[in-house]
Amino acid sequence: MPRTHTMMSRLIALTLLTALFAMSALVAGCGPQGDDDDDDDDSGDDDDNDEQAEAPYTLPDTGQTDCYDEMNQVIACPSSGDLFGQDAQYTSNAPSYTDNGDGTVTDKVTGLMWQQTPGEKMTWDEAASGADGFELAGHDDWRLPSIDELYSLIDFNGATGTGSFEEVPDDAIPYIDTDVFDFEYGDTDAGERFIDAQYWSATKYVSTTMDGQETAFGVNFADGRIKGYGLMGGAGDMTEFVRYVRGNAYGGNDFASNGDGTITDNATGLMWTEGDSGSLGGGDGGAMDWPDALAWCEGLSEAGYDDWRLPNAKELQGLVDYSRSPATTDSAAIDPLFTATPITDEGGGENWAYYWTSTTHDDGPDFAAYIAFGEALGCMEIGGSGEKELMDVHGAGAQRSDPKTMTPDSTIGCGDGPQGDVLRVLNFARCVRGGV
């Protein structure tokens, strides 16, 4: 080969190599810098947070590690057959936290940083406005968490405990990791119930509850529920605890129809059945008890896949579209890409179902958690009438729980308590795959 050709080849190679080094340096320069103390404004731009909410994010596990029978007794996890497919049998992204030693806790799964110790209870307006002036550990970009962010902290190794509401039961375990987070029950000396440990979220209900009350969602870490709480309590403005958060916004969905009866959420990587048990022929018109819901999803073959399962509570709650409700959009609280089968509720009206999760809820003798994609109904006495009325008491998007199976002791319909949560045994199911 002539010398001029050889020199030219070497020059070209050297030029390409230099370009590659320049590209590598540019990419490295765009990466995270790793200095948390210098990023006080990393989540202060609402527009940036909205964009982040649609980006992929990691869904933490519920923390549930035991399997249970129909009466919530701990059992060896079955290898197949009856009661196979429970929450504890499909685990991923185990909760993991760092106590930063400065009054904050970092969630190593979601990346969110949390206020470690809640202050005094306050109204929702106070909680929402108070974030603007809140400073902790050198950061001033705190916010009131969305319901998705707040629910990411729930730990279903918790137990409500047995006994009266007048004192904390010996067997009560908070539904939050108290190794890193400070927690207190309701002040029974001041007339509260011990379970009055609700925390506000920034997510308001698009409809109303309890006969027309403006409502915001919250999480109760004493009894393991999401409920919509009317902003006015029985004696004035409702007050709840507050735990502020900072960091990139967490939650949101990026749904894509696969054209085969399935929908992928590109935000979480989970694949869902487009239809529910009603449209896919499960149960009695879609309705089934908890053991049957586990079995139905485990046995489902849809779109060429046979590894479907019943979702856990955090996975299913992640499907809720809190911009929708039966009263405001005449639909279930879910993206319209999904099929949600209407039901006739206890009052004879059209509504949408409660959907089972694979998560046992240690709040009663035989309960499992569900997500209400229709109205979270209850029976309340309004205005001293002496008669209870059926109404939406906790909002579409609530997480409550129902008896797993029908027993001679099962109470169906209006339940106990101030809101008389409607109890059902036969709920619907929507199956999921992936993520484990």
Side-chain angles (χ1 to χ4, degrees), residues 68-409:
Y68 299 85
D69 66 12
E70 295 93 330
M71 299 306 295
N72 284 7
Q73 298 299 304
V74 175
I75 60 172
C77 289
S79 58
S80 62
D82 292 345
L83 302 181
F84 179 78
Q86 298 188 43
D87 185 338
Q89 297 184 279
Y90 294 100
T91 59
S92 65
N93 305 323
S96 181
Y97 302 101
T98 297
D99 181 343
N100 298 315
D102 58 3
T104 70
V105 174
T106 297
D107 185 332
K108 293 192 285 187
V109 176
T110 66
L112 296 172
M113 180 183 288
W114 292 90
Q115 176 187 359
Q116 187 170 41
T117 304
E120 297 297 318
K121 290 184 176 182
M122 61 184 75
T123 68
W124 187 88
D125 286 339
E126 290 170 337
S129 63
D132 289 339
F134 185 71
E135 294 187 20
L136 179 64
H139 303 292
D140 60 5
D141 55 348
W142 299 92
R143 65 179 181 272
L144 190 62
S146 71
I147 192 61
D148 289 343
E149 290 170 332
L150 189 58
Y151 194 63
S152 73
L153 296 181
I154 201 164
D155 184 341
F156 276 98
N157 282 318
T160 307
T162 53
S164 75
F165 290 140
E166 297 175 0
E167 60 181 3
V168 180
D170 292 337
D171 55 348
I173 303 171
Y175 290 81
I176 192 169
D177 187 343
T178 54
D179 286 339
V180 290
F181 290 104
D182 292 328
F183 172 82
E184 59 182 285
Y185 286 103
D187 186 355
T188 55
D189 291 337
E192 293 184 334
R193 304 169 301 168
F194 85 87
I195 62 169
D196 286 328
Q198 303 93 339
Y199 284 68
W200 287 122
S201 84
T203 306
K204 280 192 170 181
Y205 188 31
V206 293
S207 184
T208 60
T209 63
M210 304 183 194
D211 200 32
Q213 278 209 49
E214 185 179 7
T215 296
F217 286 100
V219 175
N220 189 327
F221 290 102
D223 69 3
R225 287 177 167 85
I226 294 175
K227 288 183 177 179
Y229 298 102
L231 301 192
M232 294 293 293
D237 291 344
M238 177 76 173
T239 60
E240 298 184 4
F241 290 114
V242 173
R243 195 182 298 276
Y244 290 126
V245 69
R246 63 178 299 272
N248 288 332
Y250 164 95
N253 303 104
D254 182 13
F255 293 125
S257 173
N258 299 313
D260 58 0
T262 69
I263 294 172
T264 296
D265 185 353
N266 291 310
T268 62
L270 296 172
M271 180 184 287
W272 295 88
T273 55
E274 179 180 314
D276 59 17
S277 53
S279 60
L280 295 177
D284 182 4
M288 58 187 78
D289 65 13
W290 187 71
D292 284 347
L294 289 172
W296 182 68
C297 282
E298 288 291 331
L300 183 67
S301 180
E302 180 74 2
Y305 301 105
D306 60 4
D307 56 348
W308 298 98
R309 58 185 174 83
L310 194 64
N312 70 37
K314 289 186 180 179
E315 290 169 333
L316 190 58
Q317 183 273 335
L319 281 192
V320 176
D321 184 342
Y322 285 97
S323 72
R324 297 177 176 274
S325 78
T328 58
T329 56
D330 193 28
S331 71
I334 193 170
D335 190 284
L337 281 175
F338 292 91
T339 299
T341 305
I343 64 168
T344 300
D345 66 27
E346 286 75 6
E350 182 180 77
N351 216 317
W352 282 268
Y354 305 161
Y355 285 71
W356 284 120
T357 77
S358 62
T359 306
T360 289
H361 187 195
D362 198 358
D363 181 65
D366 56 352
F367 285 178
Y370 68 76
I371 306 296
F373 285 87
E375 294 173 329
L377 296 173
C379 304
M380 285 188 69
E381 179 185 343
I382 300 295
S385 65
E387 295 184 4
K388 290 190 174 183
E389 302 175 35
L390 182 73
M391 64 186 71
D392 186 359
V393 294
H394 294 131
Q399 177 257 298
R400 305 191 306 194
S401 53
D402 268 343
K404 293 177 175 179
T405 60
M406 183 69 75
T407 71
D409 297 325

